[in-house]
Amino acid sequence: MHAGHEDTIAACADAEALLRAGRTSAARKAARAALYTEGPDPRLYALLGRAYAAESVEGHADRAEAVFREGLDTFPDDLGLLAAYTDLCLADDDPARNRRAPELAARIRKLAPESPHAAHAADAGGTPGQPSTGRVQRHDARLVLAVIGHAAGAAQQAWDQARSRPADDRTAVLAETLTALARRGRAPLRLLIRAPLAGALTCWAWFVLVLLAVVALRLPEWSGLAALLGPGLFPLLHRVLGAARRRALARPQVAAAPPSSRGTFPALPPVPPYTTREKTAAAVVVAAVAVTLTVFVDYLAGR
């Protein structure tokens, strides 16, 4: 049977329903089986890739990308496939994959500048000069934590907002982010969100001071590992935020709930560009770390 047959349409509907219900494994199996029996179809490729992307399992983002690429090899101008691939690149925590998003969004706008897919690509940050999804995520969490204060209460109010606007990805990402940050043992990550500049400077100052102390006091080389305790928070935060984005984008679509009367939730304004202060601090950190590493390597070489 050729793609586009009503059996393919029914298979797409079944896989979509499973995916929206959160049954990602079943959605993958349904889409894969339909591709095998009905033949190549861009909707099935998009569903299979989205099902992989919705699972926070190591390697599944790579599998999702492979599915999208396979589909685009056969259907290079399919807007649904391009949009799904763009969403993966924006939501994933792999910087190399993030950098592909603007190119994919440009292809969507070129093919159909007035389509909903093109508008979605622009809103998602697919155009040069717009803030990354990670920056928007951190900005929104910092704003709400500053206004509401308590992380658990902020998460609850964010979920109230998300349920009243189920199609709003930004609010859903915020709710998942605040929930993840409110968990026990994540106070250091909350500090990096609340005061990113001070937190970054403190972490890297720790790194520099520990390594310089090892050199100055001629301590054993292994003691320099303590320097990683500060900067080690950044990849941990990166993973937590990435997982929150994936959960939000994989959520099932539900009917809107009535607005909550639980306090006043702050509006989410446009995210400002990086300030001169932030750029200067980043340059100082890079220079200090480079000098410190040079000194430490010379120390190890002379031991």
Side-chain angles (χ1 to χ4, degrees):
M1 296 183 184
H2 59 81
H5 191 273
E6 60 184 19
D7 288 345
T8 303
I9 297 175
C12 288
D14 290 342
E16 182 70 43
L18 291 168
L19 184 57
R20 289 180 180 273
R23 298 175 60 188
T24 53
S25 179
R28 282 194 290 108
K29 292 176 182 177
R32 180 70 77 184
L35 280 170
Y36 180 77
T37 57
E38 308 299 333
D41 184 274
R43 295 161 296 182
L44 290 171
Y45 278 119
L47 280 164
L48 180 57
R50 286 169 53 208
Y52 271 120
E55 296 180 307
S56 300
V57 178
E58 185 177 357
H60 275 208
D62 294 334
R63 293 185 182 183
E65 182 171 31
V67 169
F68 291 140
R69 286 179 174 271
E70 181 183 348
L72 289 170
D73 286 343
T74 307
F75 308 98
D77 296 335
D78 186 78
L79 293 175
L81 265 173
L82 287 167
Y85 190 11
T86 303
D87 285 342
L88 172 71
C89 292
L90 289 168
D92 193 62
D93 54 7
D94 181 358
R97 196 166 281 134
N98 293 157
R99 288 193 291 269
R100 297 189 191 107
E103 177 186 347
L104 292 166
R107 287 174 62 183
I108 293 173
R109 292 193 302 274
K110 183 178 179 180
L111 288 167
E114 302 301 324
S115 75
H117 294 294
H120 171 69
D123 291 342
T127 54
Q130 290 190 336
S132 67
T133 53
R135 178 165 169 77
V136 173
Q137 184 181 15
R138 293 189 298 272
H139 169 273
D140 291 347
R142 179 166 62 254
L143 171 67
V144 175
L145 285 173
V147 172
I148 297 177
H150 190 263
Q156 183 59 57
Q157 290 198 37
W159 277 117
D160 290 341
Q161 290 292 312
R163 293 186 185 102
S164 67
R165 294 183 289 180
D168 186 349
D169 286 345
R170 186 174 177 182
T171 306
V173 169
L174 174 60
E176 289 284 3
T177 301
L178 291 171
T179 299
L181 292 173
R183 291 174 184 163
R184 184 176 301 177
R186 291 185 172 172
L189 302 186
R190 292 195 293 273
L191 289 175
L192 288 180
I193 292 292
R194 289 178 183 270
L197 188 58
L201 290 175
T202 299
C203 288
W204 287 110
W206 169 265
F207 179 86
V208 169
L209 290 174
V210 168
L211 291 188
L212 292 180
V214 171
V215 174
L217 302 176
R218 305 192 67 79
L219 299 175
E221 295 90 333
W222 58 263
S223 60
L225 294 174
L228 299 177
L229 292 176
L233 292 174
F234 294 108
L236 177 59
L237 178 62
H238 192 66
R239 289 185 60 184
V240 168
L241 296 183
R245 290 196 301 272
R246 288 191 292 273
R247 287 194 300 271
L249 295 177
R251 71 193 185 280
Q253 294 297 316
V254 296
S260 172
S261 59
R262 195 198 316 263
T264 302
F265 194 79
L268 301 178
V271 179
Y274 287 105
T275 64
T276 302
R277 184 184 179 192
E278 289 174 312
K279 294 176 181 178
T280 301
V284 169
V285 166
V286 169
V289 170
V291 170
T292 301
L293 287 175
T294 300
V295 172
F296 188 68
V297 170
D298 288 345
Y299 167 71
L300 295 179
R303 291 280 289 183

